Amino acid sequence: MGVALALSLLVAPEDADQGISQRIFYIHVPIALTAYFCFGLGAWKALLLLWRGDARYDLESYVAIHQGTIFGALTLITGSIWAKASWGVWWTWDSNQLVLFLVLFLFYCAYFMLRFSIEEGASRSRSSAVYALFGVVLIPISFLAIRLAEDFIHPTVFTREGPQMTGTMFTAFCVSWAAVTLLAYVLYRVELAGKRLAIDLRELREALQ
Amino acid sequence: MTGGEYLAIAYGVVFVFVLAYVGIIAAKLARLQREASELLELARRQRPAPQGAEPVTREATRSA
């Protein structure tokens, strides 16, 4: 993470158009990609739950979606700050990319409302899994919206011709992406271990009392 | 505000979020650790000690 910060803030050259505020790119885009990945992982675990019926996938799906929501919130906040610095507004409804990401984020926020409105058990696991699978449809739409829309103001950095940035910028981006992914993975493992421990302790308490 | 200030706010928000998240997880793990200790005590109280056996202390359990 330290290397990523050094590369992003000190080594990568300043953007000619946006100036120093363009460096938000090195944190905003990796966080957004990690949010997509977490939502995708949550949907994949949900599919495994429905397919194999193993209860452990329910918790894994829940933790992945929880991570995705946190990174999604960070995506919206950092994106909003970058929008204010670059476009002069905190938010615009004209960009499909922004609106679709907000829809994706709110969809997965509602996942928690659904999950905690049902009593714990197989029914809750299945309902949560089905909902998580529905949400995954929004991921490619949100990701590709920027390429499908013609009247957008959100910049396109990765095109068919490759990344539209210098080698140093691309290196800084890749290192930042790796660092954020690693951070998300560590947080995922720690949260999952904590939740499993809590379940084990609850069962142990019930057995002892 | 200048571009540098926006940059500082963006990175600062991420830092604060991650710090808060780690803090919440650490607090939860500390609570689970306390709960595990309580359950260990409960299990010790429920299990009768064998005749003539030395009582098992927490230090002895940890060193094992």
Side-chain angles (χ1 to χ4, degrees), chain B:
Chain B
M1 275 205 287
T2 62
E5 286 171 328
Y6 284 117
L7 180 71
I9 292 169
Y11 277 78
V13 164
V14 174
F15 179 74
V16 169
F17 246 73
V18 172
L19 200 67
Y21 185 77
V22 170
I24 290 166
I25 294 283
K28 278 184 181 171
L29 288 178
R31 183 177 56 79
L32 290 174
Q33 197 178 14
R34 279 197 303 274
E35 207 174 317
S37 301
E38 283 172 24
L39 288 173
L40 187 66
E41 289 297 321
L42 190 67
R44 281 203 188 108
R45 279 201 301 270
Q46 285 187 0
R47 193 177 63 181
Q51 290 285 325
E54 289 284 318
V56 181
T57 62
R58 180 174 289 184
E59 286 70 26
T61 313
R62 279 182 184 161
S63 63

Side-chain angles (χ1 to χ4, degrees), chain A residues 120-138:
Chain A
E120 200 175 337
S123 170
R124 183 173 88 168
S125 301
R126 278 198 303 274
S127 303
S128 302
V130 169
Y131 190 88
L133 273 176
F134 273 124
V136 82
V137 177
L138 290 168

Side-chain angles (χ1 to χ4, degrees), chain A residues 52-209:
Chain A
R52 295 184 184 165
D54 192 338
R56 75 189 167 100
Y57 292 122
D58 176 51
L59 194 62
E60 289 176 4
S61 173
Y62 164 74
V63 172
I65 290 170
H66 187 228
Q67 293 278 316
T69 312
I70 290 167
F71 281 92
L74 278 173
T75 304
L76 289 169
I77 294 169
T78 54
S80 192
I81 295 166
W82 194 11
K84 179 66 179 168
S86 298
W87 308 333
V89 289
W90 293 104
W91 183 263
T92 173
W93 294 101
D94 298 331
S95 172
N96 290 348
Q97 173 85 355
L98 267 64
V99 175
L100 278 167
F101 192 87
L102 181 67
V103 169
L104 179 71
F105 174 74
L106 292 175
F107 183 91
Y108 277 109
C109 284
Y111 167 89
F112 297 101
M113 292 163 70
L114 171 81
R115 188 177 173 86
F116 293 113
S117 65
I118 304 170
E119 261 191 56
E120 200 175 337
S123 170
R124 183 173 88 168
S125 301
R126 278 198 303 274
S127 303
S128 302
V130 169
Y131 190 88
L133 273 176
F134 273 124
V136 82
V137 177
L138 290 168
I139 297 173
I141 295 172
S142 170
F143 192 74
L144 296 172
I146 190 168
R147 283 154 185 86
L148 299 173
E150 288 177 2
D151 54 342
F152 55 82
I153 56 170
H154 193 285
T156 311
V157 178
F158 298 98
T159 62
R160 285 179 184 169
E161 287 77 40
Q164 304 300 301
M165 61 180 105
T166 66
T168 319
M169 284 175 154
F170 187 60
T171 305
F173 167 74
C174 288
V175 174
S176 297
W177 190 9
V180 173
T181 307
L182 186 65
L183 175 73
Y185 178 73
V186 170
L187 293 176
Y188 170 79
R189 298 303 306 181
V190 171
E191 187 178 342
L192 192 61
K195 294 227 176 283
R196 281 184 177 149
L197 184 60
I199 291 167
D200 289 348
L201 286 176
R202 195 175 60 197
E203 284 177 9
L204 183 60
R205 187 178 286 279
E206 283 168 8
L208 285 170
Q209 285 172 344

